[in-house]
Amino acid sequence: MRSRFDEQLAQLKCELIEMGALCEEAIALAAKALDEADVKLAAKVAPLSGEIDRMERNIESMCLKLLLSQQPVARDLRMISAALKLITDMERIGDQASDIAEIINFLDGRSIEECEYIGEMAKAAIRMVTDSVDAYVKQDVDAAHRVIAGDDVVDDYFDKVKTSLISLIAHNPDEGRYALDLLMIAKYFERIGDHAVNIAEWVVFSVTGIHDESK
């Protein structure tokens, strides 16, 4: 019985890895479309978001079956409970990547040349998502804490984006709409970083049984 349960847990991890990879792909695709001002590329993000939604439902069903059909010990129970939390954050990451892609349609063929910090912010956010899912799979608390600390990097880029866009509007008021669109995009990347932090915090919980809700 335990052997079968372990096989199911291993399958759960594989599904989470795949869902995490789809999230990374969606963010990276949105960031590339943004950098190249490519609306056709941006249009490919929404189907990925839809696939992420489908995986969320499948993994949720898998977790519930594990909880109902087996008798998991405390650590297994924490791991399954954490997985249910993780998929919610990953689904939202997919939604926000799709939101970024949608805004590209309103940039009138312009890229992010006026605010290079957004590109660096995107890379940092993608790295956080990758590392947070990897920390869950490896049950690595130290890696999870590094993800949590990495949120400061994304937040710092967000502050730089805001400063840069304020300067842009000050020097050219006609750029107001463009600047606001870029600010919304940066806000979505900032939220993606927050979701990666949430994932990392649930990794810590799955290993230690402690969840820090002070933030």
Side-chain angles (χ1 to χ4, degrees):
M1 182 68 77
R2 180 68 205 188
S3 174
R4 173 61 179 157
F5 184 69
D6 287 340
E7 289 176 5
Q8 291 173 324
L9 281 179
Q11 181 60 34
L12 173 61
K13 287 183 179 180
C14 288
E15 292 290 320
L16 283 163
I17 291 170
E18 185 177 346
M19 188 175 178
L22 282 174
C23 288
E24 295 164 37
E25 184 180 353
I27 308 166
L29 194 60
K32 181 176 174 61
L34 180 64
D35 185 54
E36 297 178 2
D38 189 335
V39 294
K40 290 184 178 179
L41 197 60
K44 296 179 180 180
V45 177
L48 286 175
S49 179
E51 181 65 13
I52 290 167
D53 290 346
R54 184 194 66 78
M55 290 206 70
E56 180 194 24
R57 294 190 293 271
N58 288 349
I59 293 172
E60 181 180 43
S61 177
M62 186 183 301
C63 288
L64 293 177
K65 286 178 182 177
L66 282 169
L67 291 171
L68 294 173
S69 64
Q70 306 289 346
Q71 294 181 326
V73 297
R75 179 160 179 168
D76 294 332
L77 185 58
R78 292 197 304 269
M79 190 172 183
I80 297 167
S81 299
L84 286 167
K85 298 290 186 179
L86 262 65
I87 58 175
T88 299
D89 280 295
M90 286 197 282
E91 187 273 335
R92 289 174 181 167
I93 287 170
D95 285 346
Q96 283 150 7
S98 185
D99 289 335
I100 291 167
E102 186 175 349
I103 293 175
I104 294 171
N105 292 308
F106 302 106
L107 294 179
D108 297 325
R110 298 182 65 180
S111 67
I112 52 174
E113 75 277 359
E114 298 289 350
C115 190
E116 73 277 10
Y117 295 118
I118 293 180
E120 296 304 315
M121 190 178 183
K123 292 176 186 176
I126 293 169
R127 187 161 54 249
M128 286 180 70
V129 173
T130 302
D131 292 348
S132 64
V133 176
D134 191 52
Y136 173 82
V137 172
K138 295 178 180 177
Q139 292 287 275
D140 189 333
V141 172
D142 290 337
H145 282 305
R146 288 194 293 272
V147 171
I148 294 168
D151 193 41
D152 290 339
V153 175
V154 173
D155 288 345
D156 183 55
Y157 277 127
F158 187 46
D159 288 338
K160 289 177 179 177
V161 168
K162 287 188 288 187
T163 300
S164 175
L165 294 177
I166 288 170
S167 176
L168 175 63
I169 295 173
H171 287 89
N172 191 346
D174 292 338
E175 296 281 38
R177 180 171 179 174
Y178 170 70
L180 286 175
D181 284 339
L182 292 188
L183 182 61
M184 283 299 300
I185 287 170
K187 184 61 180 176
Y188 284 129
F189 280 127
E190 190 263 343
R191 287 178 181 171
I192 287 170
D194 287 344
H195 288 304
V197 168
N198 290 345
I199 292 171
E201 288 175 345
W202 284 111
V203 171
V204 175
F205 166 78
S206 70
V207 176
T208 68
I210 299 170
H211 183 245
D212 184 3
E213 298 184 10
S214 60
K215 295 177 185 171

